[in-house]
Amino acid sequence: MRKILALLSALTLGGCLGMPKNVQPVTGFELNRYLGKWYEIARLDHSFERGMERVTAEYSLRDDGGVTVKNRGFLAAKGEWKEAAGKAFFVGEPDTGYLKVSFFGPFYGSYVIFELDKEQYQYAFVSGPDHSYLWLLSRAPAVDKELLARFTEQARQRGFDTGKLIYVKQQP
């Protein structure tokens, strides 16, 4: 019985570490260049971000080689800031943009960087374990129309429902 429970637990937890069909993580990834503050430009809706604007993510190196994740957003309806702190670790090689992120104890979800400005590290297209998780992150609170159109088209081609994208209000 213990073996069955252990197997079911492993399958359940491991199921959150997959990636959507047609999504592949970038290679040549450099974590030190990715660290720092990112602005959320667009996303698919989820309860943990619902109603939030001015959303940012900040990444810093942990002593154990992992990444500290600090997400912050403003709930306009309540007039208050919400923060969530988590941790992330590479799923495979550290030069591949595929990490597992946890905000809740032993439960991890995929963080797949499938497009990245490798020259300047100014934008990133990120997915979770399936097609219901999608983000466009930028070092600046706004992006040009061409980048937004490219993000939308690449996401659509990979099977994301881009008609449901939320464009996050940011303050410049």
Side-chain angles (χ1 to χ4, degrees), residues 31-32 35 58-70 85-90 99-103 105 108:
L31 177 60
N32 285 333
L35 299 175
E58 195 154 348
Y59 306 102
S60 59
L61 201 55
R62 293 169 46 105
D63 292 337
D64 61 6
V67 178
T68 296
V69 180
K70 185 173 124 182
K87 58 188 174 185
F89 299 94
F90 285 99
L99 295 96
K100 59 181 183 177
V101 179
S102 176
F103 291 94
Y108 284 87

Side-chain angles (χ1 to χ4, degrees), residues 27-133:
T27 56
F29 180 75
E30 297 177 47
L31 177 60
N32 285 333
R33 294 181 67 197
Y34 197 79
L35 299 175
K37 187 173 186 175
W38 291 85
Y39 294 88
E40 189 177 272
I41 304 301
R43 69 169 182 259
L44 290 177
D45 191 31
H46 280 281
S47 61
F48 54 85
E49 288 187 289
R50 190 158 293 136
M52 285 191 181
E53 32 186 81
R54 297 189 274 178
V55 179
T56 59
E58 195 154 348
Y59 306 102
S60 59
L61 201 55
R62 293 169 46 105
D63 292 337
D64 61 6
V67 178
T68 296
V69 180
K70 185 173 124 182
N71 290 343
R72 187 169 195 250
F74 186 71
L75 279 170
K78 293 185 177 184
E80 63 186 29
W81 288 94
K82 292 286 186 180
E83 284 189 12
K87 58 188 174 185
F89 299 94
F90 285 99
V91 172
E93 296 299 317
D95 67 342
T96 301
Y98 181 25
L99 295 96
K100 59 181 183 177
V101 179
S102 176
F103 291 94
F104 310 104
F107 303 102
Y108 284 87
S110 293
Y111 184 96
V112 184
I113 303 160
F114 65 92
E115 172 74 21
L116 176 66
D117 168 19
K118 289 186 180 178
E119 289 183 25
Q120 302 294 319
Y121 277 63
Q122 292 300 300
Y123 67 83
F125 303 172
V126 180
S127 81
D130 59 42
H131 284 103
S132 67
Y133 296 89

Side-chain angles (χ1 to χ4, degrees), residues 116-165:
L116 176 66
D117 168 19
K118 289 186 180 178
E119 289 183 25
Q120 302 294 319
Y121 277 63
Q122 292 300 300
Y123 67 83
F125 303 172
V126 180
S127 81
D130 59 42
H131 284 103
S132 67
Y133 296 89
L134 178 67
W135 296 271
L136 167 56
L137 303 179
S138 171
R139 294 290 190 180
V143 299
D144 62 37
K145 291 178 185 178
E146 290 82 17
L147 178 60
L148 194 56
R150 193 163 97 232
F151 167 73
T152 303
E153 181 58 20
Q154 284 196 21
R156 186 193 62 72
Q157 288 176 1
R158 286 173 170 82
F160 294 93
D161 186 352
T162 56
K164 293 185 177 180
L165 279 171

